[in-house]
Amino acid sequence: MLRSFWRSIDRFSAQHFKHVIHELQQIKVVDKHNKELVTDLLQSIVEIVTYGDRQDPLIFECFMEHQVMAEFVRILKISGNSKIEAPLLQYLSIMIQNMDSEHAIYYCFSNGYINSIISHPYKFVGGDLAPYYVSFLRAISCKINRDTLCLLLKVHGDAVVSFPLYTEALRFAHHEEKMIQTAIRALILNIYIVSDDMVCQFISTPPVSEYFSDLVHRLRDLYFGLDAFLHDKGKMDTKKRRNGLILQSDKIVDELYFLKDILNVGEPHLTRLVTENLLNGLVFPVLFSLLASKDNNGSGLSAITSLYMVSCLLQVVGGRSMINNVAGVILYNFMKLNVRVLNEGNAYDGHNDKHFLKCLSEVEGIVRYAPESNGAERINGDNLGAQLEDLMSCMNITDSNGTICSERSGILAFVFSEDHNLLLASIFLMLILAESKDLDCLLSPMIGLYGTGDVTTNDKTTSKCVDGSIFIRFMPQILNALLKVLSLQQSLSAMILWHVGWCLQKLLNFHREGLNGYNLLLFTTSYDQSRTRFLKEVDGIWFDHIPDTLRTEWASCKRALEQSSQYKDPLFLLDLDLHQQSTNDETSSYYAWQRMVDTIKVFILHVQLKAFILNGVLVEKALLNTVATSTNDSAAIRASDISSASFGSNVSLESGMPCEIAFSNSEIRDIYVIPVACGMMGKLLLTEKHPFRSRHGVVIAIAPLAGLRPKIDEDHPSWLHLRIREFGPQFYTIKTRGNPLNMPDHSADGKWTLGFTDAKACEEARLAILNEITKQRSAVEYVLAPLLQNDPGLAES
């Protein structure tokens, strides 16, 4: 053992290191015959250097003295077709990753060795070399800083003319393997973080800067792919289609977050480059086409995908430039229309006219701002202004009297669209802008959600703009459009209605006048409909689950309504059509459960909106009674004992009714049926007589009392048919995770047929079961009573 120990130590000595280097130097060509030897020598060198970097300075002195980095370069040049590149790059990566000494890193990056290895003409096609090469590049990027970065550059005068680490990495930027893409993006960010002005100038100069336009083109292609998938007319079930939308949108969000990471570096060159490419290559073309025509989007994207695209960009990328350019383009048409009204001598006095015109001029300045960049086609002020005027000419829609109808042009064309998807998408976009902290103080009152007092300025322009803002001017009509959608409870799913309620609550939060007139009547009617449908479920087959569902969905609804527009997932804009109301078999307990949950969601939404309209706040918890758990009533105690019985339990047969049943693949069995309700819990027990205790039975089957729907057979009056709920709600929440589109495959309802001695006994059993169901339902109604009784009417203020 001692000899083995010393041999191990000797392996990491400077003398042994020199011997390994000498062996490597003797290699004149690398081929299939000596590839394994060369690989072993490279591995030994890396292991010894890694050890020496931390334990023995003499080893690294030997490393420098014998110019081992030059040997790595030489081995690459004489490798031929030996495929030695992969292990060489792997061992180099390990060596660089494990270097702690700044002196060692500085040396390795000096003399152009690293650049020579990076620039070597590797053959990536048809092999597995790319992951090793990219791993090597990333290892280098993890060790660079502002002092060592210059060692990897070739500079002429004051300009960088070559940066192999960056330019070679870009070749793999859009590699098909996700792991390689991720590694390259980490490498790129590492470079951006330590780059100085000279490097940033190189990065932002063509042809290198074309990488940023490529990123935007890739993002654009992903949006078009998403749009094609969304409108694919092929047959595809709802669950598969939504999973596809999630997959496509996740790819888009990944791209957006990478662009956001670049912006977060905070380097002005990069910020301008990314922002301008996004605006010129994606945002402006889509926005201009979107606002010019709601029916035929010239950009090729559908209106709903365009609105989704802009919303995603604002949420993820954001930033003052992006927010204000989008807001400026959207608001430009509205402001120009107001100016035309002023020029026709309406409403405003001369003093306020000047302020409004000044306001428009400043907004035009905001919109025409396009950051300087050499890496993309630049939209200058005059060109952008011309495009805005062209946009205005496309959006001018007149009525029979020749008057411009601003309600039907620009973004308002979608706000007042008969398509509720476009209505929600456009309002969602406007709310993102309105709630953004980056929105310019001049543009914020144009949207008009925060009121005059909430905007601080030194002149009267802001105040006058608030009076003429989009939401203030058209708030009654916008609320009316949303309330009409809310009233479509029978045809729209609960998820769509929750999104409608979210928009309503947001707008009502800023509209201090609340609802009045026809809008108040619309909401009251919708509320009454939701309450009626809720009461119908109390008579349904899942009434026993209503209180628990109420508590769960109440918290979910409150969270959904309080969600900020900045964090609300815009994916809901794409799958609104997938959330249409189910028209499946309503007699199935599975779909009855789904209907009950959706009905409760809609009722909770209306209760919360009603509370907000009346009091300006949402209700924290549902107001419910608590069922008493203790009683001295002997019958209640006995019922409690029976209701707690499980399979195999011994129970009293005092209230049991004798009958027969034949389970599938089984002979007829003599049993006792015992219906029992205790509070909100109800069970139907099937028991067989105990072999030793004549007044007791053993439970052989249990069914929930609710949903039994006892029915006497028309042809055999002594037969009693019972429907058994087979669907398990306890697994529903886990599998759907709050999304009904992930509904698990359902099971068919069960059916029991009980045979009694005669028709009279059968009828008595039916009535006994119904009596216990009535007692159970009464307990549920008692729990719900405060929620249903505490129902003050809405009166117009």
Side-chain angles (χ1 to χ4, degrees):
M1 287 183 60
L2 189 60
R3 182 178 300 176
S4 175
F5 172 78
W6 284 112
R7 187 180 297 127
S8 176
I9 293 296
D10 184 64
R11 179 167 172 258
F12 292 103
S13 67
Q15 183 178 359
H16 179 67
F17 187 38
K18 290 177 183 180
H19 173 72
V20 174
I21 295 172
H22 177 72
E23 282 196 63
L24 188 65
Q25 290 172 339
Q26 300 307 307
I27 303 295
K28 303 306 179 184
V29 63
V30 182
D31 54 30
K32 62 180 181 179
H33 300 294
N34 64 357
K35 176 188 173 184
E36 187 174 346
L37 171 63
V38 175
T39 301
D40 290 341
L41 292 173
L42 294 174
Q43 179 180 356
S44 296
I45 288 174
V46 169
E47 289 175 349
I48 296 170
V49 170
T50 301
Y51 170 82
D53 182 56
R54 300 177 182 179
Q55 305 292 335
D56 189 351
L58 292 177
I59 289 178
F60 199 79
E61 289 182 12
C62 183
F63 178 85
M64 293 186 293
E65 179 184 347
H66 292 83
Q67 298 186 1
V68 176
M69 287 299 297
E71 286 300 311
F72 279 97
V73 176
R74 186 181 70 85
I75 292 297
L76 272 180
K77 292 179 178 179
I78 64 174
S79 61
N81 296 323
S82 64
K83 296 185 178 180
I84 195 67
E85 294 96 336
L88 184 145
L89 292 171
Q90 181 183 22
Y91 291 133
L92 268 177
S93 300
I94 293 172
M95 184 181 76
I96 293 172
Q97 287 170 0
N98 287 281
M99 278 186 174
D100 292 332
S101 167
E102 292 185 8
H103 176 63
I105 296 171
Y106 193 90
Y107 172 77
C108 287
F109 287 5
S110 300
N111 302 315
Y113 297 133
I114 291 293
N115 282 343
S116 296
I117 296 172
I118 292 173
S119 303
H120 181 77
Y122 300 97
K123 297 178 181 179
F124 295 106
V125 179
D128 59 351
L129 185 59
Y132 295 100
Y133 182 71
V134 170
S135 179
F136 169 65
L137 298 183
R138 185 176 181 183
I140 297 170
S141 73
C142 290
K143 295 296 182 180
I144 59 175
N145 54 41
R146 287 187 177 268
D147 295 325
T148 56
L149 180 63
C150 60
L151 301 174
L152 303 176
L153 307 173
K154 184 177 180 180
V155 180
H156 181 72
D158 294 333
V160 176
V161 295
S162 176
F163 188 7
L165 175 63
Y166 182 71
T167 54
E168 292 299 318
L170 292 185
R171 294 173 56 192
F172 299 88
H174 304 302
H175 196 276
E176 58 186 11
E177 290 189 25
K178 184 65 177 178
M179 290 181 63
I180 290 180
Q181 281 189 37
T182 303
I184 290 298
R185 292 189 170 186
L187 177 156
I188 288 171
L189 290 174
N190 288 339
I191 292 174
Y192 291 166
I193 290 171
V194 299
S195 294
D196 55 19
D197 289 341
M198 194 163 57
V199 175
C200 286
Q201 186 63 40
F202 172 80
I203 291 171
S204 58
T205 302
V208 181
S209 62
E210 291 175 1
Y211 169 63
F212 295 94
S213 58
D214 289 343
L215 282 175
V216 174
H217 290 155
R218 174 179 170 81
L219 183 61
R220 181 177 178 276
D221 290 342
L222 287 173
Y223 276 116
F224 274 90
L226 176 69
D227 193 55
F229 185 87
L230 179 65
H231 296 94
D232 183 10
K233 302 300 182 182
K235 291 184 178 180
M236 188 183 302
D237 63 73
T238 299
K239 184 176 180 180
K240 185 176 181 181
R241 185 175 294 276
R242 187 174 194 277
N243 288 338
L245 289 176
I246 292 174
L247 182 62
Q248 290 290 108
S249 65
D250 283 348
K251 293 178 182 178
I252 289 172
V253 172
D254 284 346
E255 297 293 318
L256 292 177
Y257 271 110
F258 178 58
L259 292 170
K260 181 65 173 178
D261 288 340
I262 297 175
L263 294 176
N264 285 340
V265 172
E267 208 293 319
H269 291 82
L270 299 177
T271 299
R272 288 197 298 269
L273 200 56
V274 170
T275 303
E276 185 170 78
N277 272 282
L278 278 173
L279 290 173
N280 295 350
L282 191 62
V283 176
F284 285 153
V286 170
L287 266 183
F288 287 150
S289 298
L290 174 72
L291 298 177
S293 173
K294 70 173 182 177
D295 298 320
N296 183 20
N297 189 342
S299 70
L301 283 180
S302 66
I304 192 68
T305 305
S306 298
L307 291 166
Y308 167 79
M309 184 212 78
V310 179
S311 298
C312 278
L313 275 168
L314 296 182
Q315 280 188 332
V316 179
V317 178
R320 293 186 60 83
S321 181
M322 184 65 64
I323 292 290
N324 290 302
N325 271 282
V326 170
V329 170
I330 288 175
L331 294 170
Y332 187 79
N333 169 59
F334 176 74
M335 295 186 63
K336 289 288 284 189
L337 290 171
N338 280 341
V339 169
R340 292 189 184 184
V341 172
L342 293 177
N343 291 336
E344 292 168 2
N346 292 319
Y348 300 102
D349 57 42
H351 176 73
N352 287 323
D353 288 355
K354 294 179 182 179
H355 279 297
F356 195 89
L357 291 171
K358 178 185 175 184
C359 186
L360 173 62
S361 176
E362 293 182 16
V363 170
E364 287 176 335
I366 294 174
V367 177
R368 295 184 185 194
Y369 165 72
E372 294 286 350
S373 171
N374 295 318
E377 180 184 354
R378 182 172 179 268
I379 294 182
N380 57 44
D382 295 335
N383 187 20
L384 181 57
Q387 293 192 45
L388 288 169
E389 291 303 321
D390 290 341
L391 177 65
M392 281 292 301
S393 64
C394 294
M395 291 193 295
N396 288 344
I397 303 174
T398 58
D399 60 18
S400 58
N401 297 321
T403 304
I404 294 175
C405 302
S406 59
E407 294 91 340
R408 294 190 291 139
S409 61
I411 193 66
L412 292 176
F414 303 103
V415 172
F416 296 118
S417 170
E418 294 182 0
D419 185 337
H420 63 262
N421 295 347
L422 295 178
L423 163 66
L424 294 176
S426 55
I427 292 178
F428 180 63
L429 173 58
M430 295 293 285
L431 287 170
I432 291 175
L433 291 171
E435 293 188 339
S436 173
K437 66 182 187 308
D438 291 320
L439 186 64
D440 190 275
C441 63
L442 186 65
L443 292 171
S444 179
M446 305 294 173
I447 297 177
L449 283 183
Y450 293 92
T452 307
D454 295 327
V455 180
T456 303
T457 57
N458 295 324
D459 53 37
K460 298 181 180 179
T461 302
T462 300
S463 175
K464 176 48 69 179
C465 289
V466 170
D467 295 335
S469 66
I470 288 183
F471 277 124
I472 295 300
R473 179 172 176 179
F474 298 108
M475 183 63 80
Q477 296 97 311
I478 295 173
L479 292 174
N480 181 264
L482 288 170
L483 288 167
K484 286 180 178 178
V485 178
L486 187 68
S487 66
L488 302 175
Q489 299 175 31
Q490 301 291 344
S491 57
L492 298 180
S493 75
M495 294 309 299
I496 293 180
L497 296 174
W498 272 23
H499 296 312
V500 174
W502 179 84
C503 291
L504 273 170
Q505 192 266 341
K506 286 288 183 184
L507 295 177
L508 288 171
N509 191 40
F510 301 113
H511 184 56
R512 297 169 182 173
E513 296 179 10
L515 296 181
N516 49 53
Y518 182 56
N519 285 343
L520 187 62
L521 177 62
L522 268 177
F523 177 77
T524 302
T525 303
S526 182
Y527 175 87
D528 290 341
Q529 289 176 359
S530 72
R531 190 175 189 275
T532 300
R533 294 177 65 217
F534 175 76
L535 291 174
K536 186 178 179 181
E537 290 301 323
V538 178
D539 291 327
I541 67 173
W542 287 103
F543 68 85
D544 52 329
H545 283 263
I546 288 178
D548 286 341
T549 305
L550 255 173
R551 295 185 183 95
T552 301
E553 297 300 338
W554 195 282
S556 298
C557 182
K558 187 171 183 293
R559 284 195 303 270
L561 292 176
E562 292 176 337
Q563 192 172 27
S564 165
S565 61
Q566 304 301 317
Y567 300 103
K568 186 176 178 67
D569 188 352
L571 182 63
F572 83 89
L573 301 176
L574 301 181
D575 63 13
L576 286 172
D577 283 334
L578 307 182
H579 281 288
Q580 300 302 320
Q581 191 67 283
S582 173
T583 56
N584 292 291
D585 179 16
E586 294 190 1
T587 63
S588 164
S589 63
Y590 170 76
Y591 292 109
W593 162 266
Q594 185 181 5
R595 185 188 63 242
M596 181 272 291
V597 173
D598 284 349
T599 299
I600 288 178
K601 285 182 175 181
V602 174
F603 178 62
I604 292 172
L605 172 66
H606 281 81
V607 172
Q608 289 285 26
L609 288 175
K610 185 176 181 180
F612 195 84
I613 292 169
L614 290 173
N615 306 314
V617 293
L618 299 175
V619 181
E620 187 68 28
K621 293 181 180 179
L623 187 60
L624 302 175
N625 278 330
T626 303
V627 177
T629 56
S630 62
T631 177
N632 294 322
D633 186 287
S634 60
I637 295 175
R638 186 165 54 253
S640 177
D641 292 339
I642 297 176
S643 66
S644 63
S646 58
F647 183 80
S649 297
N650 292 334
V651 296
S652 171
L653 295 180
E654 182 178 344
S655 58
M657 295 168 285
C659 61
E660 295 178 337
I661 190 170
F663 293 110
S664 58
N665 301 322
S666 177
E667 62 183 10
I668 296 176
R669 302 167 71 171
D670 293 322
I671 62 169
Y672 288 81
V673 59
I674 306 175
V676 57
C678 182
M680 292 191 299
M681 182 180 296
K683 295 179 181 180
L684 182 76
L685 307 180
L686 300 186
T687 65
E688 284 187 322
K689 201 166 186 178
H690 197 284
F692 306 115
R693 304 174 66 186
S694 60
R695 296 184 180 181
H696 286 76
V698 179
V699 177
I700 62 171
I702 303 175
L705 200 58
L708 286 178
R709 299 279 176 87
K711 181 181 179 182
I712 296 177
D713 191 277
E714 294 180 357
D715 298 326
H716 304 86
S718 63
W719 291 5
L720 183 64
H721 298 298
L722 303 173
R723 184 175 72 171
I724 311 301
R725 298 184 324 206
E726 295 287 352
F727 173 59
Q730 64 271 26
F731 301 113
Y732 171 85
T733 304
I734 298 174
K735 291 188 177 182
T736 61
R737 294 182 180 178
N739 187 348
L741 294 180
N742 292 332
M743 183 80 80
D745 294 334
H746 68 278
S747 302
D749 289 338
K751 182 180 179 181
W752 290 351
T753 299
L754 306 179
F756 293 86
T757 54
D758 52 38
K760 180 181 179 182
C762 186
E763 175 65 15
E764 289 175 350
R766 186 183 75 87
L767 293 176
I769 293 172
L770 290 176
N771 182 59
E772 294 300 313
I773 292 175
T774 300
K775 289 178 7 182
Q776 184 185 11
R777 181 178 285 110
S778 296
V780 171
E781 291 172 343
Y782 171 76
V783 171
L784 300 177
L787 179 65
L788 297 173
Q789 292 172 1
N790 185 25
D791 189 20
L794 284 166
E796 183 176 346
S797 57

